[in-house]
Amino acid sequence: MSKTPPQIADIMRVSSHREVYEPCDDSFALVDALLADQTNLINHKPNLCMEIGCGSGYVITSLILLLKPKLPNNVHYLATDTNPLAARVTTETLSAHGVEADIICTDIASCLETRLAGSVDVIVVNPPYVPTPEYEVGMEGIASAWAGGENGRSVIDRMLPVVDRLLSEKGWFYLLTLTSNYPAEICLMMRKRGFAWRILVQRSTDEENLVILKFWRDRDDEESLVKETSSASFASEFSRSLSSFREKKWR
């Protein structure tokens, strides 16, 4: 009897380098969010999937393994990272799992925005989210994977308009955040761009409170959009959503 192919990357086959961020609680939470949304992703039938900031390749490899059994030859995968060592490590991780993706060493998607505008169906991001001094943002090596500047938002805020431009009309965006990144503000920024949102995973570790968000375009009701984005109660709405999510989790 043939073995069932693994649904996510095998941590023992993930390549590594001292200057490349290794899979940790945040990586696992993001992959858990993709696992939770696997059926929807398969039914979504994406043509182009992209990870921004691929690091070790754990997430993009897991995404491919999640979709490949049901969508074997119809999806193209792409990953970017500003760290050339991460690009190499991701290539090794993909190869160790027998899957492929195009890996491009670039800042967010700076060389791809025009060519891929409006054509990416799924974007996955575990950004540099740790609050740090601004001078640490964009440093070479492993620091580029975690240094997020003030409130951990410097790279995230620069990334959001790029994501908006890249996503297709049916595009989905999965974003990992910390509560200290003020995810309600991020949701409001995306709402103003015409996106709806929901919380997929909330996880507390010894050091971090992680929230995985999913965004999709929702421009059917422009009047409602104006009302929602002008309301001072948006943060309260997010808090209620987060509390409701926690309650459902523990029932």
Side-chain angles (χ1 to χ4, degrees), residues 136-163:
E136 293 186 13
V137 176
M139 294 178 68
E140 293 185 358
I142 195 169
S144 65
W146 52 262
E150 185 178 358
N151 297 323
R153 287 276 297 277
S154 292
V155 178
I156 292 173
D157 289 353
R158 194 160 56 88
M159 185 184 300
L160 298 182
V162 176
V163 168

Side-chain angles (χ1 to χ4, degrees), residues 219-230:
R219 294 173 174 162
D220 293 337
D221 189 347
E222 293 296 331
E223 183 178 345
S224 174
L225 175 60
V226 171
K227 181 179 179 181
E228 289 177 27
T229 56
S230 62

Side-chain angles (χ1 to χ4, degrees), residues 179-205:
T179 52
S180 58
N181 299 148
Y182 299 101
E185 289 185 0
I186 296 171
C187 290
L188 181 56
M189 291 169 69
M190 292 299 284
R191 190 70 187 124
K192 288 179 178 179
R193 291 181 173 274
F195 287 84
W197 59 273
R198 65 180 289 236
I199 298 168
L200 281 182
V201 169
Q202 185 278 328
R203 186 164 299 167
S204 297
T205 70

Side-chain angles (χ1 to χ4, degrees), residues 92-162:
E92 293 169 353
T93 296
L94 291 163
S95 178
H97 289 82
V99 295
E100 296 180 349
D102 290 333
I103 313 300
I104 299 173
C105 189
T106 187
D107 179 24
I108 302 179
S110 60
C111 63
L112 303 169
E113 283 186 69
T114 301
R115 181 159 59 93
L116 296 183
S119 63
V120 185
D121 297 318
V122 174
I123 295 179
V124 182
V125 185
N126 180 0
Y129 58 70
V130 177
T132 65
E134 285 295 329
Y135 71 83
E136 293 186 13
V137 176
M139 294 178 68
E140 293 185 358
I142 195 169
S144 65
W146 52 262
E150 185 178 358
N151 297 323
R153 287 276 297 277
S154 292
V155 178
I156 292 173
D157 289 353
R158 194 160 56 88
M159 185 184 300
L160 298 182
V162 176

Side-chain angles (χ1 to χ4, degrees), residues 66-104:
L66 284 170
L67 299 184
K68 192 174 178 63
K70 297 293 185 179
L71 305 170
N73 301 309
N74 302 325
V75 188
H76 188 83
Y77 299 94
L78 174 68
T80 70
D81 203 290
T82 188
N83 182 354
L85 293 170
R88 189 188 79 190
V89 168
T90 291
T91 300
E92 293 169 353
T93 296
L94 291 163
S95 178
H97 289 82
V99 295
E100 296 180 349
D102 290 333
I103 313 300
I104 299 173

